[in-house]
Amino acid sequence: MKIWRKALDLNKVKPSRGQIEIMEDRCKGCRFCIEFCPKHVLEESKAFNAKGYHPAQAAQPEDCVNCGLCEMLCPEFAIKVTEEEKVKEVVRHG
Amino acid sequence: MNDDGSEQTQEMDQYLREDRMPHIWCPGCGIGSVLHCFLSALVKTDIDADKVCVVSGIGCTGRAAGYVHLDSFHTTHGRAIPFATGLKLANPELQVVVFSGDGDLVAIGGNHLIHAARRNIDMTIICVNNFNYGMTGGQLGPTTPLDARTATSPSGNYERPFNIPYLAAASGATYVARWTSMHVRRLEQTINEALLKRGFKFIEVIAPCPTVYGRMNRQPTGMDQMRYYQENSVIQHGADPKDVDIDLNGKIIVGKFIDIDLPTYSDLQLRVEQKAFGPEESKGEAVKKKAATAASKSK
């Protein structure tokens, strides 16, 4: 995307980063999360899960911006997106 | 706990009966997304979860009551609204939500739907419309669009379908909206708004049914149907419900169509009781007093 007019606070504002957790055995391979992810973070895994579906997996986890669309779209309640800062806090303070 | 023994959970798992997961809905079905939207909308309203009751009828969507970890009620076919009405009248504090399908609410339960809307009973109806009877093998229903093929109309449907928002609005519903299961955020916002409003609130959600409906209509996967919704949905808030018919492979008009305030059934009941027994009397006491005086007279 070309930015032709720079926002004044462009350097100060950091986009939120998300961490995706996928419960592979819940996934039924409907591909909703893969197709609708605005950042194309997810892809279909080559491996099978317990039920014989190809579950989704995070191919570019560093691109995730914590929008949570995949979590809301997932009909199987299999995806959880957490803000990276919160994950770090939990790791630090237990 | 998951199948592999791990303790991984999702945010909504606290409102789900995890032991019953994974649910029976097919890959590509949209009911799971709608249930997720409902639960996250419920969380955002800050309504006490103990005061919520989910009522479902029979069908694929009717299974929702069995999966939510709230007070829930799985009723007979088409009778979700009468059971919900009873719940609401017996305990007016409850937030009653009817979560059911089109075959349940509009086909066999059509009469209950129009009369609950006419009485303006304070409840939220989430009607998941997949255009056919999915659980029994994809038969023609009263919402199947003209010319759509189903198991019982292999050459195309020649019955005119119901326009559900128009039906609800004409019967007197005070809040009528329609979304598809692709519009997750807008749907969540609408459910949130509906839960906080008083009156008969009706939300139609169009959801994919790839296994039995999509397969017969050249949309064999859930993704094909979702893409069709994405390309053909037109958001028109405040559109006249009369004009929101759905044609096969045509445009789907979505949005919030009606949002008005009218006195509910209990408001009107209270008004009549106050007129009859005086403004000081609360309605329960008035009835008890009347019964007591009747009993003393008969002695």
Side-chain angles (χ1 to χ4, degrees):
Chain A
M1 197 175 74
K2 193 184 155 198
I3 299 173
W4 54 278
R5 229 167 49 173
K6 248 184 178 175
L8 290 171
D9 55 354
L10 188 68
N11 300 325
K12 286 180 207 157
V13 178
K14 263 175 102 180
S16 169
R17 296 260 158 245
Q19 199 168 31
I20 305 172
E21 278 176 56
I22 297 172
M23 283 155 256
E24 287 191 354
D25 283 339
R26 282 194 187 179
C27 181
K28 288 183 190 163
C30 68
R31 297 181 64 91
F32 290 176
C33 54
I34 300 171
E35 304 278 340
F36 284 111
C37 176
K39 289 282 181 182
H40 309 287
V41 172
L42 297 152
E43 65 166 26
E44 199 170 67
S45 142
K46 286 208 170 64
F48 293 98
N49 66 7
K51 283 194 233 65
Y53 297 108
H54 291 291
Q57 67 176 20
Q60 281 110 25
E62 64 282 356
D63 285 354
C64 178
V65 288
N66 190 29
C67 73
L69 188 67
C70 51
E71 187 179 323
M72 290 206 71
L73 271 172
C74 180
E76 312 297 324
F77 301 89
I79 306 181
K80 183 186 182 186
V81 187
T82 335
E83 201 178 349
E84 212 161 61
E85 298 296 311
K86 280 185 191 161
V87 177
K88 276 181 195 161
E89 266 172 40
V90 171
V91 172
R92 219 176 288 145
H93 305 295
Chain B
M1 202 156 73
N2 298 316
D3 290 351
D4 57 353
S6 67
E7 288 282 343
Q8 242 179 353
T9 54
Q10 212 237 5
E11 198 191 339
M12 289 307 143
D13 279 3
Q14 51 179 320
Y15 296 101
L16 289 172
R17 292 176 204 267
E18 273 186 84
D19 50 325
R20 310 201 70 191
M21 292 280 130
H23 51 61
I24 60 150
W25 298 318
C26 308
C29 175
I31 303 171
S33 313
V34 182
L35 186 61
H36 193 290
C37 288
F38 163 62
L39 292 175
S40 59
L42 184 66
V43 173
K44 284 185 186 168
T45 51
D46 289 330
I47 296 172
D48 183 4
D50 292 340
K51 291 264 186 298
V52 181
C53 187
V54 178
V55 187
S56 287
I58 298 297
C60 290
T61 322
R63 289 285 182 138
Y67 293 129
V68 289
H69 202 203
L70 303 162
D71 288 342
S72 59
F73 204 169
H74 192 189
T75 68
T76 46
H77 196 6
R79 316 295 172 229
I81 293 178
F83 279 93
T85 307
L87 272 172
K88 185 71 194 175
L89 295 186
N91 188 354
E93 274 181 28
L94 276 183
Q95 180 84 28
V96 182
V97 179
V98 177
F99 195 105
S100 209
D102 58 316
D104 188 66
L105 288 174
V106 186
I108 185 167
N111 213 356
H112 300 302
L113 173 73
I114 58 174
H115 287 288
R118 173 178 66 82
R119 293 180 182 131
N120 195 17
I121 295 162
D122 185 15
M123 60 169 81
T124 310
I125 313 274
I126 299 171
C127 173
V128 180
N129 180 3
N130 56 8
F131 304 119
N132 73 122
Y133 293 107
M135 187 169 265
T136 47
Q139 290 84 357
L140 172 88
T143 49
T144 312
L146 271 177
D147 297 327
R149 289 160 195 266
T150 63
T152 47
S153 63
S155 324
N157 170 27
Y158 44 82
E159 286 181 21
R160 280 186 65 208
F162 260 134
N163 174 351
I164 311 179
Y166 189 31
L167 176 74
S171 316
T174 55
Y175 188 97
V176 180
R178 172 199 272 162
W179 294 107
T180 74
S181 70
M182 191 213 68
H183 297 92
V184 274
R185 294 210 194 278
R186 291 187 168 94
L187 174 62
E188 188 204 57
Q189 206 185 337
T190 297
I191 296 176
N192 190 318
E193 212 175 281
L195 286 172
L196 293 172
K197 190 181 155 73
R198 286 191 80 226
F200 187 86
K201 296 135 319 190
F202 188 90
I203 302 161
E204 182 195 2
V205 189
I206 293 163
C209 178
T211 314
V212 287
Y213 177 80
R215 193 167 53 99
M216 304 280 276
N217 293 288
R218 298 186 182 186
Q219 290 167 341
T221 65
M223 202 51 229
D224 291 331
Q225 285 188 292
M226 292 287 260
R227 226 176 261 128
Y228 160 63
Y229 300 153
Q230 191 180 26
E231 284 159 12
N232 291 283
S233 298
V234 185
I235 299 174
Q236 269 183 34
H237 291 297
D240 190 338
K242 197 164 73 191
D243 310 323
V244 299
D245 283 303
I246 294 176
D247 301 321
L248 184 67
N249 298 330
K251 295 273 178 221
I252 301 173
I253 296 171
V254 294
K256 185 171 83 177
F257 304 135
I258 292 198
D259 186 1
I260 50 172
D261 285 308
L262 285 175
T264 63
Y265 183 83
S266 355
D267 292 346
L268 295 175
Q269 190 188 22
L270 193 67
R271 200 185 69 182
V272 169
E273 275 173 4
Q274 282 179 345
K275 220 192 231 170
F277 306 112
E280 298 299 315
E281 308 270 8
S282 75
K283 67 176 178 181
E285 278 167 18
V287 174
K288 270 182 219 157
K289 210 172 187 179
K290 198 183 171 191
T293 48
S296 63
K297 267 180 199 169
S298 66
K299 274 175 195 169

